[in-house]
Amino acid sequence: MNVVVDLNRCQGYAQCAFLAPEVFTMHGEESLLYHPVVPDGQLEQVRRAAVACPVQAIVMGEEAGAGAR
Amino acid sequence: MHGEPRDGRIVIVGASLTGLRAAEKLREEGFTGSLTLVGEEPQPPYDRPPLSKQVLLGKVPAGHTGLPQRRELDAQWKLGVRATGLDPIEKRVLLADGAEVPFDRLLIATGTRARRWPHPAEGALDGVFTLRTSDEARRLAERLDAGPRRVLVIGAGFTGSEIASACRERGLAVTVAERGPAPLVGALGGTLGALAAKLQRAHGVDLRCGVTVTALEGDGRLTGAQFSDGTRIDADIAVVALGAVRNTEWLVESGLAAGPRGVTCDAGCRAFDMYGIVTDDIFAAGDVARFPHPLFEYQLLSLEHWGNAVAQAEVAAHNMVNPGPRRRPHLTVPAFWSSQFGLNIKSVGVPTFSDQVVIAQGSLKDARLVAVYGYRGRVTAAVSVNQARSLEYYQRLIETAAPFPPAPGAADQIESPDPVPSDVPDPKLLSHGPTVALTGHLPDRRLTVVQPAR
């Protein structure tokens, strides 16, 4: 499972960094860094973070074109 | 076209963010025909913004920025093969491996590539890099891991500045060479450029503005660089961050209005041919597209923004499978972000489309502010530094062509309320010249011939 954050939308509310700190971390006051490949065992936390994001900036899904490699 | 617009064969050339989002949107809109994505890189679509941030910082491996897909695509992927030509009469895309892919409708989403160092021999020195692809990011991150004594970054636009920021965060010595008077000045103008220069120096960057790199030195391996002011430095790594080149060469004989500035299309993403006549079944979107935006006097914009790629891909896809009256214009207000030296910089509108700028909230001293840009008395852009939540308000001012300078808002106002010249470079000076030339005089002999890039 992969994740991408629309950082035009993101306003640094940091809900995701609170709910899934292994995947989302704040860098400086309002910049967000994240791991696009969700590690095993973090899926539920990331799902919760995606739902909780006040601006709905987190997109989750299977890695695109994974079968095409 | 094969019957209904929701049937037939659609080919997307370019398998990155734009191609992926367009493919998803096509299926979402009920396209049931065959869908093929052609991509030059062997990897499936991946996200590029993390390459100059998470990846260079060593927090995320370069191969781990794959994009999630939002739905099943039922697509045929042709990855690791470049498109080399387009035959618009027979309606087929020619590939580097000799294959031909027929289409009923085509989306051009070939994006850009990093501009190379102009001297091939110097550019081939071990230690000279560009940063655009996942592979380039991986190799550069590996070399940063090895602890170079000094990194030279050539060009202080957004990518160059982010690279310099990542290097400083790793504790590496960095020299930045910028031809202009300050970092980011080409995109944000003089006021924020001056702030960026101050910040880079405060973070220990050896920033040299108003100079160009005249030579990269080395014998097989990079050892240093010479500058136009006569100075030189030792450096193990040089990152060439001189902007992007649009991938349009494969279209040179296609008869489309494709050149160094991109593929010109209408607001509905339909590509123009080189006579300026809109095509019916060839569309363009993303970094490679050049389109008129009503908010900016219908000027043709080419944007290299993540958000534009997504929005334009969706408009193009919608218009590819809907009849004329249901087609939509691409009217998104341009927006982008950058993260560097601990700051979150976000922009809406087109800052270069301006003659004046005013600090509407916050202050330069605190490096927390919103700069609002105006053109002939109306708001055309806003840039926030560590104040992203204010930006939406200014986006609405841009959308409604609100008067500039904006009326004093509810927020604090520390800086002078008086606008100053925005000092953005005159785009005419950046011009690459016309990409076509006219010949002939009689109306039926009037022809357009493609002018190669100079």
Side-chain angles (χ1 to χ4, degrees):
Chain A
M1 191 64 83
N2 282 33
V3 70
V4 67
V5 182
D6 181 342
L7 291 171
N8 283 319
R9 281 181 182 229
C10 174
Q11 302 196 353
Y13 286 101
Q15 292 296 304
C16 56
F18 175 72
L19 290 165
E22 286 182 39
V23 174
F24 305 99
T25 48
M26 297 309 293
H27 196 68
E29 277 183 51
E30 61 173 46
S31 299
L32 178 72
L33 293 186
Y34 58 94
H35 289 260
V37 179
V38 178
D40 293 339
Q42 289 291 306
L43 263 185
E44 204 37 53
Q45 288 89 326
V46 171
R47 257 192 209 109
R48 255 181 267 154
V51 170
C53 175
V55 290
Q56 293 293 292
I58 301 171
V59 176
M60 282 180 85
E62 292 298 331
E63 185 176 3
R69 261 184 212 274
Chain B
M1 196 180 289
H2 279 241
E4 288 299 302
R6 291 197 165 82
D7 200 1
R9 299 162 299 185
I10 289 185
V11 173
I12 299 175
V13 182
S16 191
L17 179 63
T18 302
L20 173 64
R21 292 296 180 242
E24 291 171 346
K25 183 72 172 169
L26 286 167
R27 291 302 189 202
E28 194 184 307
E29 297 254 348
F31 176 66
T32 56
S34 85
L35 180 57
T36 305
L37 286 106
V38 177
E40 179 176 11
E41 293 180 64
Q43 305 96 313
Y46 59 87
D47 209 26
R48 296 183 199 276
L51 299 181
S52 56
K53 306 172 188 81
Q54 290 98 307
V55 173
L56 284 197
L57 286 171
K59 293 175 191 283
V60 169
H64 282 211
T65 74
L67 282 163
Q69 68 181 30
R70 297 180 298 188
R71 55 173 299 128
E72 279 299 316
L73 290 183
D74 187 19
Q76 199 191 345
W77 297 82
K78 290 184 185 294
L79 299 180
V81 59
R82 197 159 45 88
T84 53
L86 164 63
D87 179 344
I89 305 294
E90 297 294 324
K91 297 180 86 165
R92 54 194 178 179
V93 174
L94 316 178
L95 302 185
D97 63 7
E100 294 180 354
V101 191
F103 64 84
D104 297 306
R105 275 152 290 158
L106 170 72
L107 177 63
I108 297 169
T110 42
T112 67
R113 62 183 183 273
R115 189 184 301 281
R116 307 274 154 199
W117 186 243
H119 305 277
E122 293 179 10
L125 289 170
D126 183 30
V128 179
F129 292 87
T130 52
L131 179 58
R132 171 80 191 167
T133 67
S134 172
D135 202 41
E136 290 169 329
R138 178 183 53 77
R139 282 182 280 128
L140 178 55
E142 280 169 10
R143 290 294 281 271
L144 296 183
D145 279 341
R149 281 164 300 169
R150 179 167 293 275
V151 178
L152 168 64
V153 179
I154 307 172
F158 281 103
T159 302
S161 297
E162 288 180 4
I163 294 165
S165 173
C167 289
R168 286 306 300 143
E169 202 166 324
R170 281 172 168 260
L172 299 171
V174 181
T175 296
V176 173
E178 165 59 40
R179 183 177 60 171
L184 310 184
V185 77
L188 302 182
T191 300
L192 291 186
L195 173 66
K198 218 174 83 180
L199 277 162
Q200 291 209 5
R201 293 193 169 112
H203 281 82
V205 173
D206 169 30
L207 173 65
R208 304 177 182 207
C209 296
V211 298
T212 54
V213 174
T214 50
L216 294 174
E217 305 170 339
D219 187 7
R221 202 179 170 114
L222 179 77
T223 53
Q226 291 174 17
F227 299 112
S228 54
D229 62 2
T231 57
R232 73 167 300 285
I233 59 163
D234 289 329
D236 309 310
I237 290 179
V239 190
V240 179
L242 295 173
V245 179
R246 292 184 165 77
N247 293 321
T248 56
E249 291 84 352
W250 68 288
L251 296 168
V252 101
E253 288 171 26
S254 68
L256 292 181
R261 291 166 159 198
V263 179
T264 308
C265 60
D266 73 0
C269 307
R270 292 180 300 174
F272 284 116
D273 73 10
M274 65 180 177
Y275 301 105
I277 300 174
V278 79
T279 55
D280 292 320
D281 39 33
I282 302 177
F283 293 73
D287 291 10
V288 79
R290 183 169 181 240
F291 64 99
H293 201 307
L295 265 184
F296 305 98
E297 295 184 349
Y298 294 91
Q299 274 194 23
L300 294 171
L301 302 180
S302 318
L303 302 173
E304 295 168 38
H305 300 165
W306 191 95
N308 183 66
V310 172
Q312 201 169 18
E314 293 186 350
V315 172
H318 173 89
N319 291 347
M320 289 175 89
V321 294
N322 279 280
R326 296 221 185 92
R327 285 181 173 165
R328 289 183 197 148
H330 174 50
L331 287 177
T332 316
V333 176
F336 66 88
W337 74 88
S338 171
S339 169
Q340 50 181 280
F341 301 105
L343 298 181
N344 187 35
I345 300 172
K346 295 182 84 165
S347 167
V348 290
V350 181
T352 49
F353 193 85
S354 68
D355 48 26
Q356 290 188 305
V357 63
V358 67
I359 306 297
Q361 292 186 29
S363 73
L364 290 162
K365 183 172 67 63
D366 299 332
R368 176 192 300 282
L369 59 93
V370 179
V372 177
Y373 296 73
Y375 182 68
R376 296 188 181 170
R378 72 182 169 94
V379 175
T380 52
V383 175
S384 69
V385 177
N386 274 7
Q387 190 140 327
R389 282 173 220 175
S390 304
L391 219 48
E392 208 181 328
Y393 169 76
Y394 295 99
Q395 178 167 337
R396 264 193 295 280
L397 296 189
I398 298 164
E399 286 166 353
T400 54
F404 179 91
D412 58 316
Q413 179 125 24
I414 298 167
E415 302 278 326
S416 159
D418 298 324
V420 299
S422 63
D423 289 338
V424 295
D426 181 348
K428 289 189 193 73
L429 298 177
L430 302 172
S431 167
H432 301 279
T435 54
V436 295
L438 293 178
T439 63
H441 295 287
L442 295 170
D444 62 338
R445 298 277 173 81
R446 198 83 163 137
L447 282 176
T448 308
V449 288
V450 174
Q451 189 100 320
R454 280 180 290 244

